[in-house]
Each structure stands twice: as structure tokens, then as C-alpha cells.
Amino acid sequence: MGSSLTQPLEPAPSASPAPLAASGAPTSPEQTPVVNNCWSCRVLSGSGLIGAGGYVYWVARKPLKLGYPPNPGTVMQMVIGISIACWGIVILSDPRGKAFRAG
């Protein structure tokens, strides 16, 4: 009903931790990013931002369809909605080509 392990799953921690870089020491600019930019992450976040931007734009547009005159707040809300949707398009398109497919 069980399995026997001959080796531990994780290595034992060393007695002294690795030294941290000094706070004033410069780090190399070629470090790997903390969050990898994989295809599924880009599709999920890009489509989510497009949907959120569309919703913000749609909510701002609703009073205009009812005949209310536009005011600066409504116009600003529409601009923000379009900006959020454009941000999602940029994430999906990956214009710099730095993303990779995980798998």
C-alpha cells in the first residue's frame, strides 16, 4: 500500500545560504524574465484585456445610444476602453517577437 523511497525528493539545504548581491552592485541586463511570455499566457491575458476594454467602451457608449449628449467623462471612459483593448491586441500580436511556445 505504499512505496519506499531510497532518496529524498529535495536536496538537503546547505548550511550557509548563497550570498546575495550587494544592494549597490549592478546586475546584468541579460537576466531571464521572472514571468515567461508563453503563447497560452498571451492568448489568455490578451483576450481578457480585449474583453475588458470592450466592456468599458460598451458601458460608456450605452448612454449615448439613449440620446444623452456626450460629456468629457464619457469620452474619457471610451478612450480608456479603447486603450485597454489595444493593449490586449499588442500582447496577442507580440510585435518584438520575444515570446516562445511552451511545450
Side-chain angles (χ1 to χ4, degrees), residues 40-54 85 87-89 91-92:
S40 61
C41 301
R42 283 192 2 244
V43 168
L44 183 66
S45 60
S47 60
L49 283 170
I50 290 171
W87 184 18
I89 291 170
I91 288 176
L92 275 175

Side-chain angles (χ1 to χ4, degrees), residues 44-63:
L44 183 66
S45 60
S47 60
L49 283 170
I50 290 171
Y55 176 76
V56 170
Y57 181 82
W58 176 69
V59 167
R61 183 95 171 120
K62 203 189 300 187

Side-chain angles (χ1 to χ4, degrees), residues 60-83:
R61 183 95 171 120
K62 203 189 300 187
L64 299 177
K65 288 184 178 181
L66 295 174
Y68 293 107
N71 59 19
T74 304
V75 173
M76 183 58 95
Q77 190 175 359
M78 291 170 67
V79 167
I80 290 172
I82 291 170
S83 300

Side-chain angles (χ1 to χ4, degrees), residues 19-49:
L20 297 174
S23 62
T27 59
S28 68
E30 299 296 326
Q31 292 178 348
T32 59
V34 176
V35 178
N36 288 333
N37 199 4
C38 61
W39 174 247
S40 61
C41 301
R42 283 192 2 244
V43 168
L44 183 66
S45 60
S47 60
L49 283 170

